């Protein structure tokens, strides 16, 4: 575990294995930040030209290693880019801190001298550093060294609220990293039952009270969970529905969260290609995000009631699997004609949403790696936000931005409403065979299960949930923990 300490010390004199110093590019100049301390000044006046020759750009996420030892007590200096804005924004701080920690080499104690004169900045630096320091080494014989201690250099080291900000950042970062762990765990070890067990274990580890209850396949079948059962019936690993409840006294709001938890998506009988299923252990990222957010909101002690549902199933082909053409009777009674077993996420989510209706929450938000179509629309770094309520849709994109996540509002056009009702065989059609607007059709399908009068939003995180490329900023390869910070921030703002 990495410890985080706020320290009122100068980057020149602090004792650490490495010290992180921020660099902004301003016009043709490279300026170190924070300004006004000895090292920063000596770097600025003595070495600005040299820094350029060394390839320092000052771009957020850019890190250059220099030898310390003379201008600093620390033997290594990590110059971290902060961009070219006059005022450094919080996301640049997160990225700078994250990239610096990720590129720390063998440093075990790292001091960070980035602008940290407000509680918000301190929070961003701690969050970025802990997210950037993430590694998943459970399956490695030789574990890479972890960063042991992070010293955040700030003149607010002794301010009470600064300490709270750092502590909150640790809770948030741990939640994101827990979500990443779940996504990265291979699907032979993470299946519906073991996922549910991991949630129970986590709830026992935390000080806050989160009640985790798990419905097994027999209960699911007897209660009419046709969506979750239909998706899971082709697998040897039986489906589960885990419910997480945090219910503080005097709650100001009640948020229900529903996550897609397909522990592996082979496509079922509508089977994917080999390369198409290579990363499909990530198909439970929505359930991971939702569960992690419930734990974090509880740990932060926010006066908001949160009920989370992890809809857990493995989508496999077998003699027992659901076929294209089958009709499923969903929880709550609606019938659905299945036309493509690879469009399984909407089936498990529909059961989750219908269950959440019963809690009569103020809002339902589902999170899912739902469609390749959403990735085509928005790329690898932005998730789509659909809703039956424009205010909620805007609230979520705003909240995501503040939390440092990229979200974009997408529509549910009228024609999609017609298409989900176009079958004569059942109440609803699960799949639109034409290739256009697949993410929009899926959202229209989900909306059918939301009870009248409940504002609902759907976050399609298929793009950003799993990073197949190189690490960048505070984002590692593999599971990213997307949506966790948005959901926590939503609760923070609804608690006011
Ligand atoms: N889990 C996939 C979506 C996905 C694709 C997530 C790539 C992350 C990366 C989902 O279950 C799926 O297979 N969707 C199909 C829907 C189609 C059959 C209508 C898709 O997007 O191709
Ligand atoms: Mn699928
Ligand atoms: Zn899927």
């Amino acid at each position: 575990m990495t410890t985080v300490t706020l320290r009122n010390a100068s980057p020149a004199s602090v004792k650490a294995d490495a010290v992180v110093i921020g660099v902004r590019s301003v016009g043709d100049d490279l300026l170190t930040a924070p300004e006004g301390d000895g090292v920063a000044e000596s770097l600025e006046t003595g070495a600005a030209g040299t820094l350029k020759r060394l390839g320092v750009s000052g771009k957020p996420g850019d890190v250059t290693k220099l030898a310390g030892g003379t201008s600093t007590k620390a033997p290594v200096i990590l110059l971290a880019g902060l961009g070219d804005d006059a005022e450094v924004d919080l996301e640049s701080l997160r990225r700078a801190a994250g990239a610096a920690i990720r590129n720390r080499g063998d440093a075990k104690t790292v001091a960070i001298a980035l602008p940290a004169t407000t509680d918000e900045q301190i929070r961003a630096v701690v969050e970025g550093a802990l997210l950037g320091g993430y590694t998943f080494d459970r399956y490695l014989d030789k574990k890479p060294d972890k960063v042991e201690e992070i010293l955040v250099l700030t003149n607010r080291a002794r301010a009470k609220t600064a300490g709270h900000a750092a502590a909150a950042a640790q809770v948030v970062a741990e939640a994101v990293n827990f979500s990443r762990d779940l996504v990265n765990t291979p699907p032979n070890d993470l299946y519906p039952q073991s996922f549910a067990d991991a949630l129970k274990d986590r709830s026992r580890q935390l000080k806050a009270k989160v009640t985790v209850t798990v419905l097994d396949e027999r209960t699911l079948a007897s209660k009419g969970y046709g969506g979750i059962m239909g998706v899971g019936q082709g697998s040897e690993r039986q489906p589960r529905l885990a419910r997480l409840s945090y219910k503080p006294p005097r709650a100001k709001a009640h948020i229900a969260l529903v996550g897609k938890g397909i522990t592996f998506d082979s496509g079922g009988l509508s089977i994917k290609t080999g390369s198409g299923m290579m990363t499909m252990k990530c198909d439970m990222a929505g359930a991971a995000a939702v569960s992690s957010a419930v734990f974090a909101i509880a740990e932060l002690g926010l006066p908001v009631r949160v009920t989370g549902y992890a809809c857990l199933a493995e989508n496999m082909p077998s003699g027992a699997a659901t076929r294209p053409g089958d009709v499923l009777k969903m929880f709550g009674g609606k019938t659905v004609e299945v036309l493509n077993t690879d469009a399984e996420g909407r089936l498990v989510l529909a059961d989750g949403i219908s269950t959440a209706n019963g809690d009569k929450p103020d809002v339902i938000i589902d999170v899912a790696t739902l469609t390749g179509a959403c990735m085509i629309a928005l790329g690898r770094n932005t998730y789509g936000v659909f809703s039956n309520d424009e205010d909620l849709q805007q609230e979520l994109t705003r909240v995501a931005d503040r939390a440092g996540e990229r979200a974009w509002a997408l529509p549910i056009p009228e024609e999609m409403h017609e298409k989900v009702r176009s079958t004569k065989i059942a109440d609803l059609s699960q799949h639109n065979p034409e290739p256009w607007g697949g993410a929009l059709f899926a959202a229209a399908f989900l909306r059918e299960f939301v009870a009248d009068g409940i504002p609902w939003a759907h976050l399609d995180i298929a793009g950003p949930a799993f990073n197949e490329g190189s690490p960048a900023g505070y984002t590692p390869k593999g599971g990213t923990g997307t949506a966790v910070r948005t959901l926590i921030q939503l609760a923070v703002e609804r608690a006011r």
Side-chain angles (χ1 to χ4, degrees):
M1 260 274 283
T2 310
T3 63
V4 175
T5 315
L6 304 183
R7 177 81 54 86
N8 192 354
S10 90
S13 61
V14 69
K15 258 182 83 178
D17 300 323
V19 59
V20 180
I21 294 173
V23 196
R24 283 190 300 129
S25 56
V26 181
D28 283 342
D29 288 335
L30 287 166
L31 299 179
T32 47
E35 285 135 291
D37 58 73
V39 196
E41 270 153 31
S42 64
L43 282 170
E44 215 170 285
T45 49
T50 317
L51 293 187
K52 270 202 188 145
R53 280 190 206 125
L54 289 169
V56 179
S57 72
K59 288 202 188 98
D62 195 67
V63 177
T64 310
K65 257 184 219 162
L66 300 178
T70 45
S71 55
T72 61
K73 197 172 249 171
V76 172
I77 298 175
L78 298 165
L79 285 181
L82 286 169
D84 51 13
D85 293 339
E87 213 158 299
V88 176
D89 62 88
L90 298 176
E91 181 61 3
S92 300
L93 278 178
R94 284 187 206 100
R95 285 166 72 181
I101 295 296
R102 206 162 37 72
N103 292 293
R104 71 190 178 279
D106 63 0
K108 292 204 167 84
T109 301
V110 181
I112 304 183
L114 291 172
T117 52
T118 68
D119 292 348
E120 270 195 317
Q121 289 179 328
I122 289 168
R123 195 184 146 163
V125 168
V126 173
E127 225 177 76
L130 292 176
L131 292 175
Y134 174 82
T135 50
F136 183 72
D137 58 16
R138 201 178 301 159
Y139 293 83
L140 298 181
D141 182 25
K142 263 204 156 150
K143 317 264 187 222
D145 283 342
K146 290 215 165 73
V147 55
E148 285 169 9
E149 192 173 22
I150 291 170
L151 305 169
V152 177
L153 306 189
T154 168
N155 56 1
R156 294 184 53 71
R158 268 175 289 275
K160 217 176 178 179
T161 55
H164 293 161
Q170 287 184 70
V171 170
V172 172
E174 267 164 37
V176 174
N177 288 341
F178 175 66
S179 195
R180 292 170 171 179
D181 277 349
L182 287 171
V183 172
N184 289 331
T185 302
N188 55 335
D189 282 342
L190 194 85
Y191 44 90
Q193 177 64 53
S194 66
F195 192 126
D197 290 343
L199 298 181
K200 286 202 161 171
D201 287 349
R202 180 88 181 156
S203 75
R204 285 187 209 106
Q205 284 162 13
L206 299 180
K207 280 184 219 98
K209 190 173 175 232
V210 174
T211 312
V212 180
T213 44
V214 180
L215 304 187
D216 65 12
E217 75 272 21
R218 286 177 52 200
T219 314
L220 289 170
S222 72
K223 291 196 170 183
Y225 280 91
I228 296 177
M229 289 303 290
V231 171
Q233 72 190 34
S235 169
E236 301 280 327
R237 312 283 204 180
Q238 290 295 307
R240 297 287 182 266
L241 175 63
R243 180 178 194 268
L244 301 89
S245 168
Y246 166 60
K247 203 172 168 183
R250 291 176 294 281
K252 297 220 171 71
H254 180 189
I255 301 175
L257 304 174
V258 179
K260 171 178 174 180
I262 301 300
T263 57
F264 181 71
D265 182 12
S266 71
L269 289 174
S270 312
I271 198 159
K272 289 182 183 294
T273 61
S275 63
M277 63 176 92
M278 228 149 53
T279 59
M280 279 305 125
K281 69 172 181 181
C282 83
D283 214 19
M284 32 55 71
V290 156
S291 311
S292 304
V294 177
F295 288 132
I297 292 163
E299 273 206 288
L300 292 170
L302 297 173
V304 175
R305 181 177 169 197
V306 194
T307 311
Y309 292 94
C311 308
L312 304 167
E314 186 181 44
N315 188 21
M316 295 291 262
S318 82
T322 290
R323 294 155 284 256
D326 281 358
V327 172
L328 301 177
K329 188 163 188 162
M330 313 292 282
F331 184 74
K334 284 196 171 79
T335 56
V336 171
E337 184 184 21
V338 175
L339 293 172
N340 186 321
T341 62
D342 198 11
E344 82 296 340
R346 63 201 67 178
L347 298 171
V348 301
L349 287 170
D351 277 0
I353 290 169
S354 298
T355 310
N357 286 333
D359 300 325
K360 304 210 178 329
D362 300 316
V363 57
I364 297 178
I365 298 172
D366 78 70
V367 185
T369 46
L370 204 62
T371 66
C374 198
M375 300 173 72
I376 305 270
L378 299 178
R380 296 230 62 133
N381 296 318
T382 305
Y383 68 77
V385 183
F386 300 84
S387 184
N388 62 359
D389 181 305
E390 242 173 73
D391 291 339
L392 175 63
Q393 194 176 27
Q394 279 175 21
E395 180 183 11
L396 280 165
T397 53
R398 238 185 303 122
V399 158
D401 188 58
R402 275 190 215 123
E405 299 195 300
R406 273 177 273 184
W408 200 258
L410 291 173
I412 309 178
E414 185 54 38
E415 73 264 23
M416 293 302 171
H417 177 71
E418 287 153 25
K419 286 187 200 295
V420 296
R421 289 160 168 279
S422 62
T423 171
K424 305 237 165 3
I425 294 290
D427 298 330
L428 298 170
S429 171
Q430 168 243 18
H431 174 60
N432 177 17
E434 48 174 56
W436 319 119
L440 287 48
F441 176 91
F445 178 85
L446 293 177
R447 186 177 57 183
E448 294 290 328
F449 295 88
V450 181
D452 284 344
I454 302 185
W456 152 86
H458 156 58
L459 313 185
D460 192 334
I461 61 168
F466 196 79
N467 178 14
E468 288 179 60
S470 328
Y474 53 81
T475 308
K477 208 173 155 61
T480 60
T482 294
V484 174
R485 287 180 293 147
T486 300
L487 298 175
I488 298 171
Q489 185 65 20
L490 178 74
V492 166
E493 301 196 11
R494 292 257 175 152
R496 288 189 187 129

